[in-house]
Amino acid sequence: MKRWLRQTMALLGLPMLLTGCLGFTGPEQPPAMDSDGNKIFDSLERLMEQMGPEETVPVLVLMGDYSDTQRLAEVGEVQVKFQYAIVPAVAASLTRSQIEALARKEYVKHIEHDAEVRVMMNTASQYFGVTRARQDFGVSGDRDGAPASYSTDDLVVAVIDTGKSITDGT
């Protein structure tokens, strides 16, 4: 591998590795996902306050074991959209009362809003040191000079941040 390519990858990857190992290093810790410990994520609780009694909301329900997914009927008719194979969880549409009832079950780990996720750059380039590396070393990833587009000759690094932290599990 060419020396400049190894240097570029190292410069772009080091900040990502360090921030992943050290966890959140900003001025404040991010807010807890379930600050009151009731198994319902805070963002879903805020949404539930605005829901009518029969209105449903898309949720992800994480359970302790795969066999627990069969117990969802204990809270009434549940519209399961997807059952995950990697983790004991389902995507479903539930009413407020169903969410509250499931949260009281010992086999439920947590319930969160199955919200639409949008990919945005915002501050990622600056936070992970990409902007600084580009400035300091004149690296842009654009190897063919084509304006405003990427081709197979260009170098592209993607950072997928799920918001989960290795150190605290949130």
Side-chain angles (χ1 to χ4, degrees):
M1 192 181 305
K2 293 183 180 179
R3 183 172 179 238
W4 66 267
L5 180 58
R6 284 194 308 265
Q7 289 175 336
T8 301
M9 291 175 66
L11 287 171
L12 295 176
L14 183 61
M16 290 181 270
L17 178 64
L18 290 175
T19 56
C21 293
L22 299 175
F24 185 78
T25 58
E28 297 176 17
Q29 288 293 327
M33 298 304 284
D34 179 17
S35 58
D36 59 5
N38 68 350
K39 300 184 194 176
I40 303 172
F41 277 26
D42 299 339
S43 58
L44 178 56
E45 284 187 292
R46 287 189 296 274
L47 186 61
M48 290 168 55
E49 292 171 0
Q50 303 168 19
M51 292 172 56
E54 297 304 314
E55 186 178 354
T56 61
V57 64
V59 296
L60 298 171
V61 183
L62 178 67
M63 297 173 216
D65 190 78
Y66 288 97
S67 62
D68 295 331
T69 60
Q70 306 304 316
R71 302 172 72 179
L72 288 176
E74 293 176 7
V75 297
E77 187 176 334
V78 174
Q79 304 167 25
V80 175
K81 292 185 275 184
F82 189 79
Q83 184 165 346
Y84 294 91
I86 296 175
V87 293
V90 297
S93 290
L94 300 176
T95 64
R96 179 183 179 143
S97 62
Q98 288 174 316
I99 293 168
E100 291 168 344
L102 273 177
R104 290 189 293 269
K105 303 293 183 182
E106 74 283 347
Y107 55 86
V108 172
K109 298 292 183 189
H110 74 254
I111 306 169
E112 62 183 284
H113 183 212
D114 189 6
E116 180 180 327
V117 177
R118 295 181 187 206
V119 178
M120 302 173 78
M121 278 299 285
N122 288 358
T123 59
S125 291
Q126 182 178 357
Y127 183 76
F128 286 111
V130 175
T131 304
R132 181 69 186 259
R134 284 180 180 160
Q135 291 170 348
D136 289 355
F137 298 95
V139 176
S140 70
D142 184 12
R143 291 176 52 196
D144 64 4
S149 66
Y150 287 105
S151 72
T152 56
D153 292 327
D154 292 335
L155 300 174
V156 179
V157 176
V159 176
I160 300 173
D161 184 355
T162 64
K164 301 283 184 188
S165 169
I166 295 171
T167 55
D168 64 8
T170 62

